[in-house]
């Protein structure tokens, strides 16, 4: 894949009406993980989200806008910022937008950004910080929802452990509702995670259906690593054994477990309870 920036001269505005255009083809390919990995980029849709990304210091490589939105002042501003930073702006037909997003009624704006991952070795836990570690999370909707929740509660970020779904897939980015730009992400093999954890300090709390302690009974003072299990299999023994505590969220009905993102939300609100107050 030649990469979106290289195809047109940086800082340019181009009009494109064909799905056969090579830059458009490269952007469309970003729905496939292999091409996201090769290019190290991903796609996000929506004007609000793209403005938020810019405000958080992300740079747009390629901005795609519906021709019909050219005169929209906010879209014009984003286009100007993209060109000023050396990015490429494509003004495209409705057909091209639909083709890129594979959606009827697509958003009028989408942008291509560079992926960001923090090396796990750079993560140093500081007081009160909370990281969520996800063991082999499979569902992009769950992952995006967890990233959104991590952002909402003011947790530090997400560590993807083992073979997980891609946080930069279109589905995960959509489900994160923009929080993908505000949340630090790290990824590593389980053995690397366990090795990092040994020197990381803090409290590692795993959640487990065989957990011995009610999640409300744990003292979450200090930095916390919240470890959540895979949707089908839960936490494997080696990860569960490395936890300081294994927490259970009690249930009363027939369901045998909570959805992963719901369980993560319940845990995060308890861990961050003292930091989350309604004021006024
Ligand atoms: C859908 S559950 C996995 C169910 C899996 N069949 C099992 O046996 O663990 C996904 C993850 O959410 C968390 N989880 C869900 N319900 C929970 C509960 N009631 N108590 C503690 N953790 C829970 C755990 O981390 C679990 O590994």
């Amino acid at each position: 894949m030649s990469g979106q920036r290289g195809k047109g001269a940086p800082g340019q505005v181009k009009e494109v009406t064909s799905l056969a255009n090579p830059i458009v083809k490269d952007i469309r390919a970003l729905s496939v993980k292999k091409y996201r990995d090769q290019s190290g980029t991903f796609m996000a849709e929506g004007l609000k989200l793209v403005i938020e990304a810019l405000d958080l210091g992300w740079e747009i490589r390629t901005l795609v806008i519906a021709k019909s939105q050219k005169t929209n002042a906010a879209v014009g501003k984003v286009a100007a910022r993209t060109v000023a930073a050396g990015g490429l702006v494509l003004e495209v037909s409705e057909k091209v937008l639909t083709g890129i997003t594979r959606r009827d009624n697509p958003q009028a704006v989408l942008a291509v950004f560079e992926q960001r991952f923090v090396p796990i070795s750079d993560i140093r836990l500081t007081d009160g910080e909370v990281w969520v570690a996800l063991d082999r999370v499979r569902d992009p909707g769950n992952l995006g929802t967890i990233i959104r929740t991590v952002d909402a509660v003011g947790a530090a970020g997400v560590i993807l452990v083992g073979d997980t779904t891609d946080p930069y897939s279109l589905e995960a980015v959509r489900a994160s509702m923009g929080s993908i730009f505000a949340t630090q992400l790290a990824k590593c093999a389980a053995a690397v995670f366990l090795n990092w954890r040994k020197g990381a300090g803090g409290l590692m709390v795993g959640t487990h259906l065989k957990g011995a302690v009610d999640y409300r009974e744990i003292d979450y003072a200090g930095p916390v690593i919240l470890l959540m299990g895979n949707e089908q299999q839960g936490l494997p023994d080696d990860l569960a054994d490395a936890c300081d505590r294994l927490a259970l969220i009690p249930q009363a009905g027939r369901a045998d477990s909570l959805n992963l993102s719901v369980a993560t939300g319940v845990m995060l609100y308890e861990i961050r309870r003292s930091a989350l107050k309604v004021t006024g």
Side-chain angles (χ1 to χ4, degrees), residues 207-209 227-235 247-251 257-260 263:
T207 55
H208 204 291
L209 299 184
L227 178 58
M228 306 296 299
N230 166 270
E231 288 98 330
Q232 271 78 46
Q233 293 151 23
L235 282 179
L248 176 69
I249 306 168
Q251 297 178 197
S257 67
L258 293 165
N259 161 278
L260 170 64

Side-chain angles (χ1 to χ4, degrees), residues 96-257:
V96 171
L97 260 183
T98 308
I100 292 175
T101 56
R102 295 160 210 265
R103 265 189 170 190
D104 294 334
N105 304 317
Q107 301 261 9
V109 173
L110 64 89
V112 177
F113 298 90
E114 261 169 51
Q115 299 180 13
R116 290 185 188 172
F117 286 102
V118 187
I120 183 125
S121 53
D122 284 2
I123 299 176
R124 312 232 186 287
L125 301 178
T126 58
D127 231 13
E129 201 172 65
V130 180
W131 282 83
V132 175
L134 299 174
D135 158 45
R136 297 165 298 150
V137 54
R138 303 307 310 170
D139 183 279
N142 274 342
L143 178 53
T145 305
I146 290 169
I147 290 170
R148 183 178 178 185
T149 311
V150 162
D151 178 19
V153 302
V158 174
I159 302 169
L160 300 165
V161 180
D163 186 16
T164 69
T165 193
D166 183 6
Y168 290 114
S169 69
L170 211 43
E171 297 86 343
V173 171
R174 277 176 188 154
S176 85
M177 297 293 286
S179 293
I180 191 88
F181 296 109
T183 306
Q184 299 182 80
L185 298 177
K187 60 175 176 179
C188 60
V192 175
F193 172 74
L194 286 171
N195 200 38
W196 167 81
R197 193 276 162 278
K198 275 186 208 151
L203 180 77
M204 185 149 90
V205 178
T207 55
H208 204 291
L209 299 184
K210 294 194 182 122
V213 51
D214 184 313
Y215 75 109
R216 294 161 295 193
E217 306 293 321
I218 296 171
D219 178 0
Y220 297 103
V224 175
I225 305 158
L226 170 64
L227 178 58
M228 306 296 299
N230 166 270
E231 288 98 330
Q232 271 78 46
Q233 293 151 23
L235 282 179
D237 290 347
D238 57 345
L239 290 178
D241 290 348
C243 292
D244 301 303
R245 313 297 295 271
L246 281 182
L248 176 69
I249 306 168
Q251 297 178 197
R254 284 189 58 244
D256 60 6
S257 67

